[in-house]
Amino acid sequence: MPMVRTRNVLGGLRVREAMRRQQVLARADETARRGVARMIKFKSDYLLITDDQGAAAGIVTQTDMTGAYYAGLPVETTLGEMMIGPLRCCYLDDPLEDALETMGREQVGQLFVRGADAEKIEGVLTYSDILGLVYRFCRHCRKSRYRMEVEGNGAAPGGEVRVEAVMDPEVNRCDCRIDLIRLMEILTTQGMGAVLLDGSDGRPAGVVSKSDLVIAWYRGVDPTAAAMTIMSRPVQTCHRRDTLTDAIARMLFVDLGRIFVHDADPGEIVGVMSLASAARHRSGTCKACIASRLVA
């Protein structure tokens, strides 16, 4: 009897195939104000900090900046005072599956990529990079629903993964009048990247993410102000029965770190899905092409 094993979507791929070469750099002696401006310009949630010789010295993330805001540090604080290290790294030819596993185990949103010269950073790998690569594979797969629609080959495979299979049903939400200090405490203690805010009617009114908090710090917003003063809206959502591929596409194209999931009523939020959870799930359970993942 032949042995059968499964092969996931990332099988055989290397870090170099998904990583991005562009890095968002800043010097250790620059102020956080300049660093935030650079993060906004490049839509980045981190800065790679370099020393006087241009060598990588550490990293400053949105989490670090949110902590500085909470601690009452001025936005003129130097990045060198805030940076952490050592860098979490992988190598150009590491299996992409291993890198994804490391990101989950270490609970980091990015890995810096080294090449033959271990002292040189060649690029960075994030969850959105991995998802972008997986999405391109799905779009070009011969069993893809998108290709079937374009080529007129019939309906989508019935086994395609739905958002409800991946989402986290636990949604952290607060009243939109909560102050930013308390909101930052909730984000920190519960290890979250964003909080859903409810209006006076109990329905979703907006979202405050670490990005919003960093921008508030940059703009000098009083940390005792109500969260509703800086929240992003409208709340970006998808239906629980949407396909995972469709939800991933929306997250990538709109540059979302997470998307909230609703039921029949768009105001009834039943879950949340992050880039990290989507990447970990999509990398190994593509039910639309499961037959092609069986290797005798």
Side-chain angles (χ1 to χ4, degrees):
M1 185 174 179
M3 292 181 61
V4 177
R5 59 186 175 85
T6 59
R7 179 181 63 225
N8 74 31
V9 179
L10 301 184
L13 298 177
R14 302 294 171 180
V15 167
R16 65 169 70 244
E17 298 176 74
M19 73 175 203
R20 66 183 70 180
R21 293 281 180 177
Q22 183 186 54
Q23 302 161 53
V24 186
L25 306 175
R27 297 192 315 275
D29 60 357
E30 290 185 276
T31 65
R33 181 182 298 279
R34 293 192 64 178
V36 173
R38 197 162 298 155
M39 292 167 79
I40 294 172
K41 177 180 179 180
F42 292 102
K43 296 182 179 180
S44 175
D45 58 4
Y46 77 92
L47 291 168
L48 177 59
I49 310 302
T50 59
D51 59 21
D52 294 337
Q53 286 71 46
I59 184 176
V60 172
T61 67
Q62 289 179 343
T63 299
D64 302 318
M65 290 185 170
T66 300
Y69 186 24
Y70 177 78
L73 298 181
V75 75
E76 302 304 327
T77 301
T78 65
L79 294 170
E81 296 177 74
M82 301 167 54
M83 74 177 187
I84 59 173
L87 299 176
R88 299 291 197 278
C89 296
C90 59
Y91 289 85
L92 285 168
D93 291 318
D94 282 351
L96 198 51
E97 294 173 87
D98 292 354
L100 180 60
E101 183 179 338
T102 298
M103 292 168 71
R105 183 178 64 253
E106 300 289 337
Q107 295 186 315
V108 295
Q110 65 284 125
L111 290 177
F112 292 96
V113 185
R114 298 186 186 277
D117 181 356
E119 299 301 315
K120 182 180 179 181
I121 302 296
E122 300 285 351
V124 64
L125 180 72
T126 68
Y127 283 118
S128 61
D129 298 323
I130 296 172
L131 273 178
L133 181 64
V134 171
Y135 177 73
R136 290 196 296 275
F137 277 130
C138 291
R139 284 294 296 254
H140 290 90
C141 174
R142 63 185 178 84
K143 296 185 179 182
S144 164
R145 171 168 59 89
Y146 295 97
R147 290 193 62 180
M148 288 181 176
E149 291 173 351
V150 171
E151 298 171 6
N153 292 335
E160 190 161 356
V161 181
R162 305 288 172 175
V163 169
E164 62 187 356
V166 183
M167 72 179 192
D168 182 352
E170 297 295 326
V171 180
N172 290 284
R173 50 203 307 172
C174 300
D175 188 286
C176 65
R177 291 165 293 187
I178 189 174
D179 63 62
L180 295 178
I181 286 288
R182 177 60 184 144
L183 186 67
M184 285 187 275
E185 290 173 350
I186 293 172
L187 282 171
T188 301
T189 57
Q190 300 191 24
M192 301 182 301
V195 172
L196 180 66
L197 300 179
D198 292 328
S200 57
D201 58 358
R203 294 173 68 85
V207 177
V208 170
S209 67
K210 288 180 180 178
S211 296
D212 298 315
L213 289 166
V214 169
I215 293 174
W217 184 42
Y218 175 78
R219 293 176 175 170
V221 177
D222 190 326
T224 63
M228 62 190 297
T229 62
I230 71 164
M231 68 183 182
S232 298
R233 53 186 174 184
V235 179
Q236 297 292 334
T237 64
C238 66
H239 193 280
R240 66 186 304 160
R241 293 294 296 164
D242 285 350
T243 65
L244 182 55
T245 302
D246 286 341
I248 287 173
R250 183 171 180 185
M251 294 173 77
L252 292 175
F253 295 155
V254 187
D255 195 25
L256 300 175
R258 72 210 48 81
I259 192 166
F260 291 91
V261 185
H262 64 79
D263 210 338
D265 179 357
E268 183 185 351
I269 302 300
V270 297
V272 61
M273 184 176 72
S274 67
L275 282 174
S277 59
R280 286 193 291 267
H281 188 93
R282 192 49 150 168
S283 67
T285 56
C286 183
K287 293 181 181 178
C289 59
I290 192 166
S292 69
R293 295 192 293 109
L294 296 177
V295 184

